């Protein structure tokens, strides 16, 4: 495995752990209250701007993944889509790059 793939894998793991260090305690306190979570994402203009920045990046990443998977037939790379929406772009993007960097047969 190339050194770059190791970097992408490390970033995907970091991108999964770091956000959960903040979300986990919030979920433990508030439960899976999606309505309260969305309200926090819209608490002020700065947070709302970041929210939309991440949503647009996630949609763009998903479109890119779908188009490339269709062309390259690298079906395992589809795992980056649920990672993007269930964890975040910080995990989904490096995970996709890790999976994409694998030689396709």
């Amino acid at each position: 495995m190339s050194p770059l793939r190791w970097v992408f894998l490390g970033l995907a793991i970091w991108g999964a752990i770091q956000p959960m260090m903040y979300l986990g305690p919030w979920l433990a306190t508030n439960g899976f209250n999606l309505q309260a979570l969305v309200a926090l994402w819209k608490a002020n203009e700065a947070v709302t701007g970041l929210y939309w920045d991440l949503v647009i990046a996630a949609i763009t990443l998903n479109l890119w993944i779908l188009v490339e998977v269709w062309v390259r037939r690298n079906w395992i790379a589809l795992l980056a889509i649920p990672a993007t929406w269930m964890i975040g772009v910080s995990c989904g993007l490096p995970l996709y790059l890790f999976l994409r960097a694998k030689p396709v047969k």
Side-chain angles (χ1 to χ4, degrees), residues 9-82:
L9 181 59
L11 288 170
I13 293 168
W14 182 22
I17 293 171
Q18 188 75 39
M20 291 305 141
M21 290 174 60
Y22 295 94
L23 185 60
W26 188 89
L27 289 171
T29 301
N30 300 287
F32 191 73
N33 186 344
L34 190 57
Q35 193 172 23
L37 189 59
V38 170
L40 289 173
W41 291 338
K42 309 234 171 138
N44 60 51
E45 288 80 12
V47 178
T48 302
L50 183 57
Y51 165 81
W52 281 110
D53 180 63
L54 291 171
V55 167
I56 293 166
I59 291 169
T60 304
L61 174 59
N62 281 224
L63 180 61
W64 180 32
I65 290 169
L66 290 171
V67 169
E68 281 218 336
V69 163
W70 184 260
V71 171
R72 296 170 54 109
R73 303 289 194 242
N74 183 13
W75 305 112
I76 193 74
L78 289 172
L79 290 174
I81 292 175

